[in-house]
Amino acid sequence: MSTRWYSLKRRLLALLLGGVAVAWLATLVFSYFDAHAEVDELFDAQLAQSAQTLLALAGEGQGAAVGDLGPVGHKYQRHLLFQIWDADGRLLLRSNSAPETPLTVADGFTEIEDEQGHWRLYSQWNTAHRLQVQVSEDHRIRDELIGQIAWRLLLPALLGLPLLGLGVWLATRRGLTSLDSMAKQIASRDPTQLQPVVPQEAPVEIRPLLEALNGLLQRVDQALEGERRFTADAAHELRTPLAALQAQLQVARRARDTAEHDHSLAQLQEGLSRAAHLVEQMLQLARLDPESGLPNPQTVDLGKLAEMVCAELGNGILDRQLDFDLLAEPDCLVRGQPEWLAVALRNLIGNAMTYTPPGGLLKVIVRRQGAGLEFAVEDSGPGIPASERAAVMQRFHRLPSANSGGSGLGLAIVGRIAELHGARCSLDAASQGGLRASLVWQPASD
């Protein structure tokens, strides 16, 4: 899936200008119709007032001759027509452009359209019902006025939008300067410089992104530090068995008789087995380290898994003549990786077998513990002093008194597998005087 890149500056510019333009247009439309309604009200009031003024000035009985108001004095005057009629239907007075026939036959406000235009009319009789005034106004007067109002509203938008766009572009350019600065700071770093990115100033909107980036850098730094520590420890741990193998090989080459030669080869084979076991456990731990969760977890029956692991180790148990007991309650189910859990159980049971003297006691327990589950291994071996129990969970740590030739990785692997499965690995004194190693799953609500 490819990334679709876009310009934040152009998008902000388009969104802001588009939003302002839409808002301005909506305001213009609303203002246009509102102004149109107000202008109509105003002009209708003027029509009514003009009619009433003409009635007041006309008086009764002022002749039957048609009057003439003289030439047009204003550009809008040709769009204003009026007539004064008496009760007998005689035209007493009219404007120059008015016809000699009645403008309307209805009283009050009306509208008509003819070849000369669209007209708004008002007709009113005096109190005595002897004089009637009819006033007409061309709608073009109103439309021209509304058009001028709309243009005056639109002109600031046409002039202001480019200026607003320039201001937005300059503001976003200045506002995003800190992003460019951080990008240059990160790009100029050496791959080993994984300290947090701390700009002098930055917008609060990118704070979650910056915190996530710094968290990632911290995790990468921890992972690399773990890899460096693991590599250094592995190099140190492999140096001793490799030197021993080389010495044993030289002894085998210099053997003076068959017995000495066979003994040297047996020592060499034993050393190779220890080295292979060490490498296997190191690789196993290296595979577990990068994991941050359980891939494809399954429901695992701890009791059945313990039975399977004990069956695999049965020959070793018989060879050491251990008093072995497996107590597994049914349906002790957990979610996890069966292969990894088998490794953890195998390491715990294998450690107990190694350190329990021949004829000693070895007990494997799978049971419910309240709302949780427990897998435990108890032995009658020398145990581990309380002061050393936390240390033996670390990589490559072995007790000074240990002579089993172990790698010091078994319990570290168990601890890591327990962590990935949400369990707790603990070491305690067993009831028979040895060691009790357990994995405990607490309920999810705890």
Side-chain angles (χ1 to χ4, degrees), residues 135-169:
V135 185
S136 176
E137 181 182 72
D138 195 339
H139 258 289
R140 281 178 289 180
I141 297 176
R142 304 183 182 198
D143 293 339
E144 288 180 10
L145 180 58
I146 295 299
Q148 291 178 2
I149 293 175
W151 175 249
R152 284 176 171 81
L153 289 173
L154 182 61
L155 186 60
L158 296 177
L159 297 177
L161 279 178
L163 295 177
L164 179 62
L166 178 61
V168 170
W169 183 80

Side-chain angles (χ1 to χ4, degrees), residues 62-70 82-84 90-100:
Q62 288 192 356
V66 176
D68 191 340
L69 296 181
F82 74 88
Q83 297 172 337
I84 301 178
R90 290 179 298 175
L91 181 62
L92 302 180
L93 189 65
R94 69 179 176 86
S95 60
N96 286 334
S97 302
E100 297 181 3

Side-chain angles (χ1 to χ4, degrees), residues 33-66:
F33 286 105
D34 184 64
H36 202 299
E38 292 297 326
V39 168
D40 283 342
E41 292 286 339
L42 176 63
F43 275 68
D44 284 349
Q46 289 180 343
L47 278 178
Q49 185 177 10
S50 298
Q52 294 167 3
T53 301
L54 287 171
L55 281 176
L57 294 176
E60 296 185 6
Q62 288 192 356
V66 176

Side-chain angles (χ1 to χ4, degrees), residues 218-240:
Q218 182 180 9
R219 292 193 297 273
V220 171
D221 187 38
Q222 291 174 349
L224 290 178
E225 179 61 28
E227 292 293 334
R228 287 191 291 266
R229 187 172 62 251
F230 180 81
T231 303
D233 291 344
H236 173 74
E237 291 297 322
L238 285 173
R239 186 179 298 116
T240 299

Side-chain angles (χ1 to χ4, degrees), residues 348 393 411 414-416 418-419 423-427 437-440:
L348 290 180
M393 298 296 297
L411 289 178
V414 172
R416 179 58 178 154
E419 180 184 358
R424 177 175 54 87
C425 180
S426 61
L427 303 176
S438 62
L439 298 177
V440 179

Side-chain angles (χ1 to χ4, degrees), residues 293-324:
L294 294 175
N296 303 319
Q298 305 173 26
T299 299
V300 181
D301 189 324
L302 279 181
K304 293 183 179 179
L305 187 63
E307 291 178 2
M308 181 189 72
V309 173
C310 290
E312 293 177 1
L313 301 175
N315 290 334
I317 295 174
L318 293 175
D319 290 342
R320 298 183 66 84
Q321 300 178 351
L322 301 178
D323 185 1
F324 175 75

